Amino acid sequence: MARYPKNSTIYSILIGMCIVGFWVFENFYTPSPYSENSEENRESSFPFEFLPSSTTGDIVHHSYFSLSYNEPYEQAEWVAYTLDWKHLTYEDRERPFFVEDPWVKSKSADWRNYKGSGYDRGHLCPAGDRRFSEQAYNETFYTSNISPQDKYFNAGVWNRLERHVRQWAKRYGSVNVITGGVLEPGLEEIGDEDVDVPKTFYKIVARQDKGKLKVIGFLMRGVEQQIPLEKLCVPIDSIEALTGIDFFKGIDSGLQKKLERSVDTKEWKF
């Protein structure tokens, strides 16, 4: 009868301990938050008068972006940030863990909801727009800043639009961005916390040009599509109708109506 060396038993025990340790780490370890106190979590630079309304009242200002969290859908209904040309660096940063946002009243969804779902953890404020500082970069990995996205959409047309917004920041000096998924009843849900998967995403970009406000809105299905970005432009009124959110609520109502009822791509370089 063959006998196995004692070492093989020890190795088996060690391997088993490693597997258990890895499972515990994956399922229970949560890193510390990236903004530890109110000084680090100061109000972002996004213009107050451009902030949208919140359907939930759960608005959070991080150092480099603001958001309105929608607990029933377990994600932000909008994320707003300013992108200045000075923010655009190619500095290489170590990718941190996704962590729950401690500043959201109900806490944001755990990143583990996305495991095995088939969906990407899609950034709303892109990490690539926040390489200029370690904290700015890390804050984009709060789960309040992510939404379930089809991987081909995330790496495709959504990424193309994000890169185009960076080009606008370089060209015009600074732009203000508001973005999110359209949250509506009947969406597919993933994970133990029932994180909803938006079918449609929007992005609104605004800039000042010689004292005049220029705005443009995009609305797209959450699947890859090989069409020019300008074909995805819609009036901001139509995004408001879908989301129930009032964008640019702080500006003059007459100007707001004028800007939001039509699409003017001539004011933007495509």
Side-chain angles (χ1 to χ4, degrees):
M1 184 174 180
R3 291 187 177 183
Y4 295 97
K6 292 182 180 180
N7 285 346
S8 65
T9 302
I10 295 173
Y11 292 150
S12 297
I13 293 172
L14 289 174
I15 290 171
M17 290 174 64
C18 288
I19 292 172
V20 170
F22 180 77
W23 181 86
V24 170
F25 179 87
E26 276 284 290
N27 288 277
F28 295 102
Y29 174 70
T30 300
S32 299
Y34 300 125
S35 44
E36 298 284 358
N37 54 55
S38 59
E39 282 300 308
E40 291 179 325
N41 197 48
R42 64 190 181 278
E43 193 165 315
S44 75
S45 60
F46 192 86
F48 179 78
E49 65 272 19
F50 293 171
L51 280 175
S53 66
S54 170
T55 67
T56 65
D58 195 358
I59 295 178
V60 175
H61 298 292
H62 286 299
S63 300
Y64 301 101
F65 66 89
S66 298
L67 65 96
S68 173
Y69 199 76
N70 195 314
E71 172 65 20
Y73 293 91
E74 287 290 8
Q75 62 201 275
E77 60 183 358
W78 56 256
V79 168
Y81 63 97
T82 297
L83 181 60
D84 191 275
W85 69 271
K86 295 177 183 177
H87 294 159
L88 299 174
T89 71
Y90 296 98
E91 189 163 351
D92 188 28
R93 297 208 173 269
E94 184 177 351
R95 187 180 178 91
F97 292 100
F98 284 98
V99 299
E100 292 178 48
D101 190 336
W103 304 100
V104 170
K105 293 174 186 175
S106 57
K107 289 196 175 180
S108 56
D110 193 296
W111 65 269
R112 295 174 183 87
N113 288 285
Y114 290 74
K115 289 180 64 178
S117 70
Y119 290 99
D120 280 3
R121 290 163 286 200
H123 281 75
L124 297 176
C125 177
D129 288 356
R130 290 292 181 259
R131 293 184 179 276
F132 58 89
S133 90
E134 182 178 3
Q135 186 184 339
Y137 185 75
N138 287 354
E139 279 186 344
T140 67
F141 287 83
Y142 280 134
T143 56
S144 58
N145 184 48
I146 63 173
S147 185
Q149 292 182 339
D150 174 85
K151 64 180 180 179
Y152 298 108
F153 169 78
N154 187 23
V157 64
W158 190 247
N159 181 53
R160 285 196 289 123
L161 180 53
E162 289 176 341
R163 287 189 281 114
H164 204 79
V165 171
R166 291 182 192 123
Q167 292 175 17
W168 281 339
K170 291 178 181 178
R171 184 180 186 88
Y172 303 122
S174 183
V175 294
N176 298 294
V177 184
I178 308 166
T179 189
V182 175
L183 306 182
E184 56 192 340
L187 295 173
E188 177 187 353
E189 296 177 332
I190 60 172
D192 294 338
E193 294 178 272
D194 295 331
V195 180
D196 286 78
V197 182
K199 294 179 181 178
T200 311
F201 288 83
Y202 70 88
K203 196 180 295 289
I204 297 170
V205 188
R207 64 182 172 88
Q208 293 284 355
D209 181 16
K210 298 178 181 178
K212 293 183 178 181
L213 183 61
K214 309 291 184 181
V215 300
I216 193 165
F218 297 85
L219 188 68
M220 61 189 75
R221 293 177 297 112
V223 295
E224 172 57 348
Q225 45 212 289
Q226 293 293 328
I227 58 178
L229 292 175
E230 55 265 41
K231 298 294 185 182
L232 298 169
C233 294
V234 298
I236 293 170
D237 276 347
S238 64
I239 302 176
E240 291 183 332
L242 287 172
T243 61
I245 298 168
D246 183 7
F247 299 100
F248 305 107
K249 63 183 180 64
I251 69 172
D252 175 79
S253 59
L255 175 61
Q256 183 184 15
K257 289 179 181 178
K258 180 181 178 181
L259 291 172
E260 294 182 352
R261 68 189 177 197
S262 60
V263 176
D264 189 356
T265 58
K266 297 190 299 296
E267 297 290 345
W268 300 84
K269 177 66 175 178
F270 281 94

